[in-house]
Amino acid sequence: NMDHSKMGDAPMADHAPMKIPAISQLGKDGKSVMLMPKRALGAGKYMVSWSAAGADMHKMSGSFSFTVK
């Protein structure tokens, strides 16, 4: 497990983007990563922005959103 200081920027309707403390775990396949927030997320819509580099140092990035009810 690697301790990361942020999970991503999480904009909310009336809130500026913020960093969410999370712990990451490399998947058994060695190609995936799971992030677990250090504390429960409050209800609302979140957007995760991510970036990574492949073995050939090719940079990749993306984002996705989800809602906590």
Side-chain angles (χ1 to χ4, degrees):
N1 291 351
M2 296 180 288
D3 188 359
H4 289 269
S5 62
K6 66 176 184 156
M7 183 168 79
D9 292 330
M12 293 184 284
D14 294 320
H15 199 287
M18 62 185 177
K19 306 296 181 196
I20 297 176
I23 297 171
S24 66
Q25 181 175 347
L26 186 62
K28 291 180 182 178
D29 63 4
K31 298 178 183 179
S32 60
V33 176
M34 179 174 67
L35 295 175
M36 296 292 298
K38 289 186 176 182
R39 61 181 184 261
L41 299 175
K45 184 175 181 180
Y46 294 83
M47 178 187 293
V48 176
S49 298
W50 61 270
S51 61
D56 64 355
M57 300 309 291
H58 178 82
K59 294 181 181 178
M60 301 164 277
S61 63
S63 64
F64 62 91
S65 60
F66 63 94
T67 301
V68 174
K69 294 184 178 188

Short mmCIF file of all heavy atoms in Angstrom, two decimals:
data_model
loop_
_atom_site.label_atom_id
_atom_site.label_comp_id
_atom_site.label_asym_id
_atom_site.label_seq_id
_atom_site.Cartn_x
_atom_site.Cartn_y
_atom_site.Cartn_z
N ASN A 1 0.83 -1.19 0.00
CA ASN A 1 0.00 0.00 0.00
C ASN A 1 0.87 1.25 0.00
O ASN A 1 1.84 1.33 0.72
CB ASN A 1 -0.90 0.04 1.21
CG ASN A 1 -1.98 -0.99 1.20
OD1 ASN A 1 -2.20 -1.67 0.20
ND2 ASN A 1 -2.68 -1.14 2.30
N MET A 2 0.48 2.20 -0.80
CA MET A 2 1.17 3.48 -0.83
C MET A 2 0.22 4.52 -0.27
O MET A 2 -0.96 4.51 -0.57
CB MET A 2 1.53 3.84 -2.27
CG MET A 2 2.51 2.88 -2.90
SD MET A 2 2.90 3.33 -4.59
CE MET A 2 1.36 2.90 -5.41
N ASP A 3 0.71 5.39 0.55
CA ASP A 3 -0.11 6.44 1.14
C ASP A 3 0.00 7.68 0.26
O ASP A 3 1.07 8.22 0.12
CB ASP A 3 0.36 6.72 2.55
CG ASP A 3 -0.56 7.65 3.30
OD1 ASP A 3 -1.56 8.11 2.75
OD2 ASP A 3 -0.26 7.92 4.45
N HIS A 4 -1.10 8.08 -0.36
CA HIS A 4 -1.10 9.26 -1.22
C HIS A 4 -1.83 10.39 -0.52
O HIS A 4 -2.79 10.18 0.18
CB HIS A 4 -1.78 8.95 -2.56
CG HIS A 4 -0.96 8.05 -3.41
ND1 HIS A 4 -0.05 8.51 -4.30
CD2 HIS A 4 -0.89 6.71 -3.46
CE1 HIS A 4 0.54 7.51 -4.90
NE2 HIS A 4 0.05 6.40 -4.40
N SER A 5 -1.37 11.59 -0.76
CA SER A 5 -1.96 12.75 -0.09
C SER A 5 -3.24 13.21 -0.75
O SER A 5 -3.96 14.02 -0.22
CB SER A 5 -0.96 13.89 -0.04
OG SER A 5 -0.63 14.29 -1.36
N LYS A 6 -3.54 12.69 -1.93
CA LYS A 6 -4.77 13.12 -2.59
C LYS A 6 -5.35 12.00 -3.44
O LYS A 6 -4.66 11.15 -3.93
CB LYS A 6 -4.53 14.35 -3.46
CG LYS A 6 -3.62 14.07 -4.65
CD LYS A 6 -3.49 15.28 -5.53
CE LYS A 6 -2.65 14.92 -6.75
NZ LYS A 6 -2.90 15.77 -7.86
N MET A 7 -6.65 12.02 -3.57
CA MET A 7 -7.31 11.09 -4.46
C MET A 7 -7.58 11.77 -5.78
O MET A 7 -7.62 11.15 -6.81
CB MET A 7 -8.63 10.59 -3.86
CG MET A 7 -9.33 9.55 -4.72
SD MET A 7 -10.66 8.71 -3.91
CE MET A 7 -11.95 9.91 -4.02
N GLY A 8 -7.77 13.04 -5.78
CA GLY A 8 -8.07 13.80 -6.98
C GLY A 8 -8.79 15.07 -6.61
O GLY A 8 -9.08 15.29 -5.45
N ASP A 9 -9.06 15.89 -7.57
CA ASP A 9 -9.82 17.09 -7.31
C ASP A 9 -11.29 16.70 -7.27
O ASP A 9 -11.76 15.96 -8.11
CB ASP A 9 -9.60 18.13 -8.41
CG ASP A 9 -8.18 18.67 -8.37
OD1 ASP A 9 -7.60 18.69 -7.27
OD2 ASP A 9 -7.67 19.04 -9.42
N ALA A 10 -11.99 17.18 -6.29
CA ALA A 10 -13.39 16.80 -6.10
C ALA A 10 -14.27 18.04 -6.04
O ALA A 10 -14.59 18.52 -4.97
CB ALA A 10 -13.54 15.98 -4.82
N PRO A 11 -14.66 18.60 -7.20
CA PRO A 11 -15.52 19.77 -7.16
C PRO A 11 -16.95 19.41 -6.74
O PRO A 11 -17.45 18.37 -7.12
CB PRO A 11 -15.48 20.29 -8.59
CG PRO A 11 -15.13 19.12 -9.41
CD PRO A 11 -14.32 18.21 -8.54
N MET A 12 -17.56 20.26 -5.94
CA MET A 12 -18.95 20.08 -5.55
C MET A 12 -19.68 21.35 -5.92
O MET A 12 -19.06 22.38 -6.16
CB MET A 12 -19.04 19.79 -4.05
CG MET A 12 -18.43 18.45 -3.69
SD MET A 12 -18.62 18.01 -1.96
CE MET A 12 -17.41 19.05 -1.19
N ALA A 13 -20.99 21.28 -5.94
CA ALA A 13 -21.82 22.39 -6.41
C ALA A 13 -21.39 23.74 -5.83
O ALA A 13 -21.18 24.68 -6.57
CB ALA A 13 -23.28 22.11 -6.11
N ASP A 14 -21.28 23.83 -4.52
CA ASP A 14 -20.93 25.11 -3.89
C ASP A 14 -19.59 25.02 -3.16
O ASP A 14 -19.41 25.61 -2.11
CB ASP A 14 -22.04 25.53 -2.91
CG ASP A 14 -23.34 25.82 -3.64
OD1 ASP A 14 -23.28 26.44 -4.72
OD2 ASP A 14 -24.40 25.44 -3.13
N HIS A 15 -18.67 24.27 -3.72
CA HIS A 15 -17.40 24.05 -3.05
C HIS A 15 -16.27 24.07 -4.07
O HIS A 15 -16.38 23.50 -5.13
CB HIS A 15 -17.43 22.69 -2.34
CG HIS A 15 -16.41 22.55 -1.28
ND1 HIS A 15 -15.07 22.38 -1.54
CD2 HIS A 15 -16.52 22.53 0.07
CE1 HIS A 15 -14.41 22.27 -0.40
NE2 HIS A 15 -15.27 22.35 0.58
N ALA A 16 -15.18 24.71 -3.73
CA ALA A 16 -14.01 24.73 -4.61
C ALA A 16 -13.39 23.32 -4.66
O ALA A 16 -13.60 22.53 -3.75
CB ALA A 16 -12.99 25.72 -4.06
N PRO A 17 -12.64 23.00 -5.71
CA PRO A 17 -11.96 21.70 -5.76
C PRO A 17 -11.11 21.50 -4.51
O PRO A 17 -10.54 22.44 -3.98
CB PRO A 17 -11.08 21.80 -7.00
CG PRO A 17 -11.77 22.80 -7.86
CD PRO A 17 -12.36 23.80 -6.90
N MET A 18 -11.07 20.25 -4.04
CA MET A 18 -10.28 19.95 -2.85
C MET A 18 -9.57 18.61 -3.02
O MET A 18 -9.98 17.79 -3.83
CB MET A 18 -11.18 19.90 -1.62
CG MET A 18 -12.23 18.84 -1.67
SD MET A 18 -13.30 18.97 -0.24
CE MET A 18 -14.47 17.69 -0.62
N LYS A 19 -8.51 18.43 -2.28
CA LYS A 19 -7.76 17.18 -2.27
C LYS A 19 -8.39 16.27 -1.23
O LYS A 19 -8.73 16.71 -0.13
CB LYS A 19 -6.29 17.41 -1.94
CG LYS A 19 -5.61 18.43 -2.83
CD LYS A 19 -5.55 18.00 -4.26
CE LYS A 19 -4.83 19.05 -5.10
NZ LYS A 19 -5.06 18.89 -6.50
N ILE A 20 -8.53 14.98 -1.57
CA ILE A 20 -9.11 14.02 -0.64
C ILE A 20 -8.03 13.00 -0.29
O ILE A 20 -7.55 12.28 -1.18
CB ILE A 20 -10.34 13.32 -1.26
CG1 ILE A 20 -11.42 14.35 -1.53
CG2 ILE A 20 -10.85 12.21 -0.34
CD1 ILE A 20 -12.64 13.82 -2.23
N PRO A 21 -7.63 12.90 0.98
CA PRO A 21 -6.62 11.93 1.37
C PRO A 21 -7.09 10.50 1.08
O PRO A 21 -8.24 10.15 1.38
CB PRO A 21 -6.46 12.15 2.88
CG PRO A 21 -6.98 13.53 3.13
CD PRO A 21 -8.07 13.73 2.11
N ALA A 22 -6.22 9.68 0.48
CA ALA A 22 -6.59 8.33 0.12
C ALA A 22 -5.37 7.41 0.21
O ALA A 22 -4.23 7.86 0.18
CB ALA A 22 -7.15 8.30 -1.29
N ILE A 23 -5.63 6.13 0.29
CA ILE A 23 -4.60 5.09 0.27
C ILE A 23 -4.77 4.32 -1.03
O ILE A 23 -5.89 3.98 -1.42
CB ILE A 23 -4.76 4.15 1.48
CG1 ILE A 23 -4.55 4.94 2.77
CG2 ILE A 23 -3.79 2.98 1.39
CD1 ILE A 23 -4.89 4.16 4.02
N SER A 24 -3.66 4.04 -1.72
CA SER A 24 -3.74 3.30 -2.97
C SER A 24 -3.20 1.89 -2.80
O SER A 24 -2.36 1.62 -1.93
CB SER A 24 -2.95 4.02 -4.07
OG SER A 24 -1.58 4.01 -3.76
N GLN A 25 -3.74 0.98 -3.60
CA GLN A 25 -3.30 -0.41 -3.58
C GLN A 25 -3.18 -0.89 -5.01
O GLN A 25 -4.11 -0.75 -5.80
CB GLN A 25 -4.31 -1.26 -2.82
CG GLN A 25 -3.91 -2.72 -2.72
CD GLN A 25 -4.88 -3.50 -1.85
OE1 GLN A 25 -5.70 -2.93 -1.13
NE2 GLN A 25 -4.79 -4.80 -1.92
N LEU A 26 -2.02 -1.45 -5.35
CA LEU A 26 -1.79 -1.99 -6.69
C LEU A 26 -2.54 -3.30 -6.83
O LEU A 26 -2.52 -4.15 -5.94
CB LEU A 26 -0.29 -2.21 -6.90
CG LEU A 26 0.16 -2.63 -8.29
CD1 LEU A 26 -0.19 -1.56 -9.32
CD2 LEU A 26 1.65 -2.90 -8.30
N GLY A 27 -3.25 -3.47 -7.97
CA GLY A 27 -4.00 -4.68 -8.23
C GLY A 27 -3.11 -5.88 -8.42
O GLY A 27 -1.92 -5.75 -8.73
N LYS A 28 -3.67 -7.08 -8.25
CA LYS A 28 -2.91 -8.32 -8.42
C LYS A 28 -2.34 -8.45 -9.83
O LYS A 28 -1.33 -9.10 -10.03
CB LYS A 28 -3.79 -9.52 -8.10
CG LYS A 28 -4.14 -9.63 -6.64
CD LYS A 28 -5.00 -10.83 -6.36
CE LYS A 28 -5.38 -10.88 -4.88
NZ LYS A 28 -6.25 -12.02 -4.58
N ASP A 29 -3.00 -7.81 -10.81
CA ASP A 29 -2.51 -7.87 -12.19
C ASP A 29 -1.32 -6.96 -12.43
O ASP A 29 -0.70 -7.00 -13.48
CB ASP A 29 -3.64 -7.54 -13.17
CG ASP A 29 -4.18 -6.12 -13.01
OD1 ASP A 29 -3.65 -5.34 -12.18
OD2 ASP A 29 -5.14 -5.78 -13.71
N GLY A 30 -0.99 -6.13 -11.46
CA GLY A 30 0.13 -5.21 -11.59
C GLY A 30 -0.14 -4.04 -12.52
O GLY A 30 0.74 -3.24 -12.79
N LYS A 31 -1.38 -3.93 -13.02
CA LYS A 31 -1.72 -2.89 -13.98
C LYS A 31 -2.84 -1.97 -13.51
O LYS A 31 -3.13 -0.98 -14.14
CB LYS A 31 -2.14 -3.52 -15.31
CG LYS A 31 -1.04 -4.33 -15.95
CD LYS A 31 -1.53 -4.97 -17.23
CE LYS A 31 -0.45 -5.84 -17.84
NZ LYS A 31 -0.92 -6.49 -19.06
N SER A 32 -3.49 -2.31 -12.42
CA SER A 32 -4.60 -1.49 -11.94
C SER A 32 -4.28 -0.99 -10.53
O SER A 32 -3.47 -1.56 -9.82
CB SER A 32 -5.90 -2.29 -11.93
OG SER A 32 -5.77 -3.43 -11.09
N VAL A 33 -4.94 0.11 -10.17
CA VAL A 33 -4.75 0.72 -8.85
C VAL A 33 -6.12 1.01 -8.26
O VAL A 33 -7.01 1.50 -8.96
CB VAL A 33 -3.95 2.04 -8.95
CG1 VAL A 33 -3.84 2.72 -7.60
CG2 VAL A 33 -2.57 1.78 -9.52
N MET A 34 -6.29 0.71 -6.98
CA MET A 34 -7.53 1.02 -6.28
C MET A 34 -7.22 2.08 -5.24
O MET A 34 -6.22 1.98 -4.53
CB MET A 34 -8.10 -0.22 -5.59
CG MET A 34 -9.37 0.07 -4.84
SD MET A 34 -10.16 -1.39 -4.14
CE MET A 34 -8.98 -1.89 -2.92
N LEU A 35 -8.04 3.11 -5.18
CA LEU A 35 -7.88 4.17 -4.19
C LEU A 35 -9.03 4.10 -3.19
O LEU A 35 -10.19 4.00 -3.58
CB LEU A 35 -7.90 5.54 -4.85
CG LEU A 35 -6.74 5.83 -5.80
CD1 LEU A 35 -6.95 7.17 -6.48
CD2 LEU A 35 -5.43 5.81 -5.06
N MET A 36 -8.70 4.16 -1.92
CA MET A 36 -9.70 4.16 -0.86
C MET A 36 -9.54 5.44 -0.05
O MET A 36 -8.48 5.69 0.51
CB MET A 36 -9.48 2.95 0.07
CG MET A 36 -9.68 1.61 -0.61
SD MET A 36 -11.39 1.30 -1.08
CE MET A 36 -12.21 1.32 0.48
N PRO A 37 -10.61 6.26 0.00
CA PRO A 37 -10.52 7.48 0.82
C PRO A 37 -10.25 7.10 2.27
O PRO A 37 -10.71 6.06 2.75
CB PRO A 37 -11.90 8.12 0.67
CG PRO A 37 -12.57 7.41 -0.44
CD PRO A 37 -11.90 6.09 -0.62
N LYS A 38 -9.50 7.94 2.98
CA LYS A 38 -9.18 7.67 4.38
C LYS A 38 -10.39 7.84 5.29
O LYS A 38 -10.40 7.34 6.41
CB LYS A 38 -8.03 8.56 4.84
CG LYS A 38 -6.71 8.16 4.22
CD LYS A 38 -5.56 8.95 4.81
CE LYS A 38 -4.24 8.47 4.25
NZ LYS A 38 -3.11 9.20 4.85
N ARG A 39 -11.39 8.58 4.81
CA ARG A 39 -12.65 8.72 5.57
C ARG A 39 -13.81 8.73 4.59
O ARG A 39 -13.62 8.98 3.40
CB ARG A 39 -12.63 9.96 6.45
CG ARG A 39 -12.48 11.24 5.70
CD ARG A 39 -12.45 12.43 6.67
NE ARG A 39 -12.41 13.67 5.96
CZ ARG A 39 -11.29 14.37 5.75
NH1 ARG A 39 -10.16 13.94 6.23
NH2 ARG A 39 -11.33 15.49 5.08
N ALA A 40 -15.00 8.47 5.10
CA ALA A 40 -16.19 8.40 4.24
C ALA A 40 -16.42 9.72 3.53
O ALA A 40 -16.19 10.80 4.10
CB ALA A 40 -17.41 8.03 5.08
N LEU A 41 -16.86 9.65 2.28
CA LEU A 41 -17.20 10.84 1.51
C LEU A 41 -18.60 11.29 1.86
O LEU A 41 -19.50 10.46 2.02
CB LEU A 41 -17.11 10.55 0.01
CG LEU A 41 -15.76 10.13 -0.53
CD1 LEU A 41 -15.87 9.77 -2.01
CD2 LEU A 41 -14.73 11.22 -0.32
N GLY A 42 -18.81 12.58 1.94
CA GLY A 42 -20.14 13.11 2.18
C GLY A 42 -21.00 13.00 0.93
O GLY A 42 -20.49 12.81 -0.18
N ALA A 43 -22.30 13.09 1.10
CA ALA A 43 -23.22 13.03 -0.04
C ALA A 43 -22.89 14.15 -1.03
O ALA A 43 -22.52 15.25 -0.63
CB ALA A 43 -24.66 13.16 0.44
N GLY A 44 -22.96 13.84 -2.31
CA GLY A 44 -22.70 14.83 -3.34
C GLY A 44 -22.09 14.21 -4.58
O GLY A 44 -21.87 13.00 -4.65
N LYS A 45 -21.83 15.03 -5.56
CA LYS A 45 -21.24 14.58 -6.82
C LYS A 45 -19.75 14.89 -6.78
O LYS A 45 -19.35 15.99 -6.41
CB LYS A 45 -21.89 15.27 -8.01
CG LYS A 45 -21.39 14.77 -9.34
CD LYS A 45 -22.15 15.38 -10.50
CE LYS A 45 -21.62 14.80 -11.81
NZ LYS A 45 -22.33 15.35 -12.97
N TYR A 46 -18.93 13.93 -7.19
CA TYR A 46 -17.48 14.06 -7.18
C TYR A 46 -16.92 13.81 -8.58
O TYR A 46 -17.48 13.03 -9.35
CB TYR A 46 -16.85 13.05 -6.22
CG TYR A 46 -17.19 13.29 -4.78
CD1 TYR A 46 -18.38 12.82 -4.23
CD2 TYR A 46 -16.33 14.00 -3.96
CE1 TYR A 46 -18.70 13.04 -2.91
CE2 TYR A 46 -16.63 14.22 -2.63
CZ TYR A 46 -17.82 13.74 -2.11
OH TYR A 46 -18.14 13.97 -0.79
N MET A 47 -15.80 14.45 -8.88
CA MET A 47 -15.08 14.18 -10.12
C MET A 47 -13.66 13.80 -9.74
O MET A 47 -13.02 14.50 -8.93
CB MET A 47 -15.05 15.38 -11.06
CG MET A 47 -14.23 15.08 -12.32
SD MET A 47 -13.98 16.50 -13.40
CE MET A 47 -15.64 16.80 -13.94
N VAL A 48 -13.17 12.71 -10.30
CA VAL A 48 -11.80 12.26 -10.07
C VAL A 48 -11.00 12.52 -11.33
O VAL A 48 -11.38 12.10 -12.41
CB VAL A 48 -11.75 10.76 -9.71
CG1 VAL A 48 -10.31 10.28 -9.56
CG2 VAL A 48 -12.56 10.48 -8.46
N SER A 49 -9.90 13.24 -11.19
CA SER A 49 -8.96 13.47 -12.29
C SER A 49 -7.72 12.64 -12.00
O SER A 49 -7.20 12.68 -10.88
CB SER A 49 -8.58 14.95 -12.38
OG SER A 49 -9.72 15.72 -12.64
N TRP A 50 -7.25 11.89 -12.98
CA TRP A 50 -6.10 11.03 -12.76
C TRP A 50 -5.06 11.20 -13.86
O TRP A 50 -5.38 11.68 -14.95
CB TRP A 50 -6.53 9.56 -12.66
CG TRP A 50 -7.19 9.05 -13.91
CD1 TRP A 50 -8.53 9.09 -14.20
CD2 TRP A 50 -6.55 8.47 -15.05
NE1 TRP A 50 -8.75 8.55 -15.45
CE2 TRP A 50 -7.55 8.16 -15.99
CE3 TRP A 50 -5.23 8.17 -15.36
CZ2 TRP A 50 -7.27 7.58 -17.21
CZ3 TRP A 50 -4.95 7.58 -16.60
CH2 TRP A 50 -5.98 7.29 -17.49
N SER A 51 -3.84 10.81 -13.55
CA SER A 51 -2.78 10.78 -14.55
C SER A 51 -1.81 9.67 -14.18
O SER A 51 -1.67 9.32 -13.01
CB SER A 51 -2.06 12.12 -14.64
OG SER A 51 -1.46 12.43 -13.41
N ALA A 52 -1.18 9.09 -15.19
CA ALA A 52 -0.24 7.99 -14.98
C ALA A 52 0.75 7.96 -16.13
O ALA A 52 0.53 8.57 -17.18
CB ALA A 52 -1.00 6.67 -14.90
N ALA A 53 1.84 7.24 -15.93
CA ALA A 53 2.83 7.04 -16.99
C ALA A 53 3.03 5.54 -17.16
O ALA A 53 3.14 4.80 -16.17
CB ALA A 53 4.14 7.71 -16.64
N GLY A 54 3.08 5.08 -18.41
CA GLY A 54 3.31 3.68 -18.70
C GLY A 54 4.78 3.34 -18.56
O GLY A 54 5.63 4.20 -18.32
N ALA A 55 5.09 2.05 -18.73
CA ALA A 55 6.48 1.59 -18.64
C ALA A 55 7.37 2.32 -19.65
O ALA A 55 8.56 2.54 -19.40
CB ALA A 55 6.54 0.09 -18.87
N ASP A 56 6.78 2.73 -20.78
CA ASP A 56 7.55 3.46 -21.81
C ASP A 56 7.54 4.97 -21.56
O ASP A 56 7.95 5.74 -22.40
CB ASP A 56 7.01 3.14 -23.19
CG ASP A 56 5.58 3.63 -23.39
OD1 ASP A 56 4.96 4.13 -22.43
OD2 ASP A 56 5.08 3.50 -24.52
N MET A 57 7.04 5.37 -20.38
CA MET A 57 6.94 6.77 -19.96
C MET A 57 5.89 7.56 -20.74
O MET A 57 5.84 8.79 -20.65
CB MET A 57 8.29 7.49 -20.01
CG MET A 57 9.34 6.83 -19.11
SD MET A 57 8.80 6.55 -17.40
CE MET A 57 8.70 8.20 -16.79
N HIS A 58 5.04 6.88 -21.51
CA HIS A 58 3.93 7.53 -22.21
C HIS A 58 2.93 7.99 -21.16
O HIS A 58 2.47 7.20 -20.34
CB HIS A 58 3.28 6.54 -23.18
CG HIS A 58 2.11 7.12 -23.90
ND1 HIS A 58 2.25 7.90 -25.02
CD2 HIS A 58 0.79 7.03 -23.66
CE1 HIS A 58 1.05 8.27 -25.45
NE2 HIS A 58 0.15 7.75 -24.63
N LYS A 59 2.58 9.28 -21.17
CA LYS A 59 1.65 9.84 -20.19
C LYS A 59 0.21 9.62 -20.62
O LYS A 59 -0.12 9.76 -21.80
CB LYS A 59 1.94 11.32 -19.97
CG LYS A 59 3.27 11.57 -19.33
CD LYS A 59 3.52 13.04 -19.11
CE LYS A 59 4.89 13.23 -18.49
NZ LYS A 59 5.19 14.65 -18.30
N MET A 60 -0.63 9.28 -19.65
CA MET A 60 -2.07 9.10 -19.87
C MET A 60 -2.80 9.87 -18.79
O MET A 60 -2.27 10.06 -17.69
CB MET A 60 -2.43 7.62 -19.77
CG MET A 60 -1.70 6.73 -20.77
SD MET A 60 -1.81 5.00 -20.31
CE MET A 60 -0.47 4.91 -19.13
N SER A 61 -4.01 10.31 -19.08
CA SER A 61 -4.82 10.99 -18.08
C SER A 61 -6.29 10.86 -18.44
O SER A 61 -6.64 10.50 -19.55
CB SER A 61 -4.42 12.47 -17.96
OG SER A 61 -4.69 13.13 -19.18
N GLY A 62 -7.12 11.16 -17.50
CA GLY A 62 -8.56 11.10 -17.72
C GLY A 62 -9.29 11.58 -16.49
O GLY A 62 -8.69 12.05 -15.52
N SER A 63 -10.59 11.45 -16.54
CA SER A 63 -11.42 11.82 -15.38
C SER A 63 -12.73 11.06 -15.46
O SER A 63 -13.12 10.57 -16.52
CB SER A 63 -11.67 13.33 -15.36
OG SER A 63 -12.42 13.72 -16.48
N PHE A 64 -13.36 10.93 -14.32
CA PHE A 64 -14.70 10.34 -14.26
C PHE A 64 -15.40 10.95 -13.05
O PHE A 64 -14.76 11.49 -12.14
CB PHE A 64 -14.64 8.80 -14.16
CG PHE A 64 -13.96 8.27 -12.93
CD1 PHE A 64 -14.68 8.00 -11.78
CD2 PHE A 64 -12.59 8.03 -12.93
CE1 PHE A 64 -14.04 7.51 -10.64
CE2 PHE A 64 -11.95 7.54 -11.82
CZ PHE A 64 -12.68 7.27 -10.67
N SER A 65 -16.71 10.87 -13.05
CA SER A 65 -17.47 11.42 -11.92
C SER A 65 -18.36 10.33 -11.34
O SER A 65 -18.67 9.33 -11.99
CB SER A 65 -18.29 12.63 -12.35
OG SER A 65 -19.19 12.28 -13.36
N PHE A 66 -18.77 10.54 -10.09
CA PHE A 66 -19.68 9.62 -9.42
C PHE A 66 -20.45 10.41 -8.36
O PHE A 66 -20.07 11.52 -8.00
CB PHE A 66 -18.94 8.42 -8.80
CG PHE A 66 -17.97 8.80 -7.72
CD1 PHE A 66 -18.34 8.80 -6.38
CD2 PHE A 66 -16.67 9.16 -8.05
CE1 PHE A 66 -17.44 9.14 -5.39
CE2 PHE A 66 -15.75 9.49 -7.07
CZ PHE A 66 -16.14 9.48 -5.73
N THR A 67 -21.53 9.82 -7.88
CA THR A 67 -22.37 10.48 -6.89
C THR A 67 -22.48 9.61 -5.64
O THR A 67 -22.65 8.39 -5.75
CB THR A 67 -23.79 10.71 -7.46
OG1 THR A 67 -23.68 11.53 -8.63
CG2 THR A 67 -24.69 11.41 -6.45
N VAL A 68 -22.34 10.22 -4.48
CA VAL A 68 -22.55 9.55 -3.20
C VAL A 68 -23.90 10.04 -2.70
O VAL A 68 -24.14 11.24 -2.62
CB VAL A 68 -21.44 9.92 -2.19
CG1 VAL A 68 -21.74 9.33 -0.82
CG2 VAL A 68 -20.08 9.45 -2.70
N LYS A 69 -24.77 9.10 -2.37
CA LYS A 69 -26.11 9.46 -1.87
C LYS A 69 -26.18 9.31 -0.39
O LYS A 69 -25.45 8.62 0.23
CB LYS A 69 -27.16 8.58 -2.54
CG LYS A 69 -27.25 8.86 -4.03
CD LYS A 69 -28.36 8.07 -4.64
CE LYS A 69 -28.44 8.42 -6.12
NZ LYS A 69 -29.58 7.86 -6.75
#
